[in-house]
Structure formats: C-alpha cells, structure tokens
C-alpha cells in the first residue's frame, strides 16, 4: 500500500467475503478485516482478502494480538497491510516489525504462500516484495500515548492508529469524545506522529463520531463499519415503513 496520508478506509467484521468485496467496491482506499473481535478463522480471512482484491481494493487485516505466529499466517495470506492492537511500548512495536520481516532483519518464517503468488514470485518476494506491507500499530492506552513519539520513530512502523474506544476506556472517559483528558491524549499522539513523519488515523463508526474525531487532526480515517451500516440501514428502513403504514 502507498502511504495513508489523506486516505479513507472502512471496517469489516462480518465473515462473508461478499461483504468485504462490497466494502472494497464502495470507493474507499482500503478495507480493514478485523480478526481481533470477530470469529473469523484463517480460511474466512483469506476469502475476505480475495474479495477485496477482486474489487481492486487494499486489505488491511487487524491481527488478534502482537503474536509472530498469527502475524506470519496472516501475511502469507497476502494482506496489503496489518493493524496490530495494543502496542504500548517501543519493544512491542519492534516485535511487530520483526514479525513482518524475513531473517536476518526479522523472525518471519519463509514460505511460498499466496503472498508470493504461490511460489511464482518467491525469491523476489522474500528479498524485497514483503517490505511493501504497511504496518500500522494501535495506540490504545495511556502508556501507549506516553510512548507514542518513540513508537512512531521505530523503523518499520508505517502509521499509528488511535483506537478511540479502548483509549477512552483506559482513561476512564469511555466514549466521551470531547473530554479534555481524551482530547489531550489524542493531541499528544497526533503531535508524536507528525514529529516522526508518519500518518496517524482513527475509526469512526457513525457520522456523528466521524465528525467529532475527524476534526482532531488525524491524517486518515476509517469511516464506518459493516455491522453499523446494517443496523442503521435497518433502522432507516423500519422508520420509513412505519411512516407509510
């Protein structure tokens, strides 16, 4: 993926690859396929990544945790980017980078999987191609905010991502998007990313949240999620039907 400055993505949690394909065809720059808070298995993720590719989109997979084995298996599927949750320290950021790099630069196991076109581009992919991946780390706690400048400066970290729900909860300000302490944490993270020259983004699942968070200086935005689109679409259809009956 190219850099994330000025881009808009969307979020998918549902396991049907058609949902990911529809999302990718909606004009977004990338689609996040979430495996942290969803029941998606590897086969489903692979199908979702294929669905995004079929719509000429970019698939960013959120891994369940900063685990090199999980990261390796998702990279072999051929994700265009990875979103790693709960990165609180420089050491954790470096571990995430190491998990995406082949030896001697990192610890990723070598295999001729889908990412290397099933072996057709194996040697080129191992030498250089795997570095095209975008690695995004999530800032979701007060500790992470305090370390944001150092995390952003880690070589191989391509972007930061503020997880608004977890960050606000960790500050005991859950969903209080205009709270002074939450805003100060966001500002500190945005400043850290700007100083390091890397983009920083966040997620808004409703128009109101997108508007509230989008005004805080972020460089990219994940706008909306598949489940909220279903819920809000149902609500609008129900209201419209009730109005005419």
């Amino acid at each position: 993926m190219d850099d994330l400055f000025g881009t808009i993505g969307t979020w998918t949690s549902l396991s049907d690859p058609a949902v990911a394909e529809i999302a990718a065809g909606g004009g977004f720059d990338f689609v996040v396929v979430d495996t942290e808070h969803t029941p998606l298995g590897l086969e489903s993720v692979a199908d979702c990544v294929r669905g995004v590719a079929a719509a000429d989109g970019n698939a960013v997979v959120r891994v369940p945790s900063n685990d090199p084995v999980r990261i390796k298996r998702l990279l072999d599927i051929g994700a265009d980017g990875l979103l790693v949750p709960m990165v609180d320290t420089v050491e954790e950021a470096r571990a995430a980078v190491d998990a995406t790099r082949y030896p001697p630069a990192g610890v990723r196991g070598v295999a001729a999987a889908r990412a290397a076109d099933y072996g057709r581009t194996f040697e080129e992919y191992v030498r250089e191609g795997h570095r095209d991946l975008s690695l995004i780390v999530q800032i979701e706690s007060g500790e992470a905010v305090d370390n944001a400048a150092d995390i952003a400066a880690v070589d191989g970290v391509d972007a930061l991502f503020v997880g608004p729900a977890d960050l606000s909860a960790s500050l005991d300000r859950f969903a209080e998007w205009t709270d002074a302490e939450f805003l100060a944490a966001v500002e500190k993270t945005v400043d850290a990313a700007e100083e390091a020259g890397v983009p920083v983004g966040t997620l808004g699942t409703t128009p109101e949240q997108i508007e509230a968070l989008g005004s805080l200086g972020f460089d990219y935005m994940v706008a909306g999620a598949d489940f909220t689109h279903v819920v809000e679409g149902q609500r609008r259809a129900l209201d419209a039907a009730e109005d005419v009956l």
Side-chain angles (χ1 to χ4, degrees):
M1 284 176 55
D2 295 330
D3 69 64
L4 290 166
F5 285 105
T7 60
I8 301 172
T10 192
W11 196 277
T12 61
S13 296
L14 304 178
S15 57
D16 191 329
V19 174
E21 184 178 11
I22 291 168
F28 295 97
D29 296 298
F30 62 93
V31 176
V32 177
V33 179
D34 185 21
T35 72
E36 183 188 10
H37 292 295
T38 71
L40 271 74
L42 282 171
E43 293 86 353
S44 296
V45 176
D47 286 340
C48 288
V49 170
R50 290 188 183 98
V52 172
D56 294 324
N58 293 299
V60 175
V61 179
R62 179 161 75 164
V63 300
S65 63
N66 193 359
D67 176 347
V69 175
R70 296 271 191 170
I71 288 173
K72 171 178 60 180
R73 299 188 75 186
L74 291 169
L75 289 178
D76 285 345
I77 286 171
D80 300 296
L82 286 186
L83 181 61
V84 181
M86 298 292 181
V87 175
D88 293 331
T89 67
V90 169
E91 291 75 21
E92 291 171 357
R94 288 175 179 155
V97 174
D98 287 347
T100 70
R101 298 286 195 264
Y102 289 122
V107 298
R108 180 181 173 186
V110 179
R114 180 178 182 271
D117 196 15
Y118 302 101
R120 294 185 183 95
T121 60
F122 183 46
E123 293 183 6
E124 187 281 329
Y125 179 76
V126 172
R127 289 193 185 102
E128 296 292 338
H130 71 284
R131 296 178 181 271
D132 291 337
L133 171 91
S134 294
L135 178 63
I136 308 164
V137 300
Q138 291 192 234
I139 305 298
E140 301 184 271
S141 69
E143 181 183 10
V145 171
D146 290 339
N147 294 323
D150 293 330
I151 291 171
V154 171
D155 186 28
V157 169
D158 297 304
L160 303 184
F161 182 88
V162 172
D166 279 297
L167 178 57
S168 64
S170 76
L171 300 173
D172 195 23
R173 301 290 189 275
F174 178 63
E176 297 179 22
W177 314 127
T178 59
D179 174 78
E181 188 173 356
F182 174 77
L183 292 176
V186 170
E187 182 179 8
K188 186 172 182 177
T189 305
V190 169
D191 289 346
E194 182 177 359
E195 182 178 346
V198 300
V200 55
T202 194
L203 164 69
T205 58
T206 66
E208 295 76 19
Q209 189 183 30
I210 292 167
E211 184 176 349
L213 295 174
S215 64
L216 302 181
F218 290 105
D219 301 302
Y220 67 96
M221 174 70 69
V222 180
D226 51 6
F227 57 89
T228 60
H229 297 154
V230 172
V231 170
E232 291 304 317
Q234 287 179 326
R235 182 176 294 123
R236 289 195 300 272
L238 179 61
D239 289 345
E242 290 176 339
D243 287 343
V244 300
L245 292 179

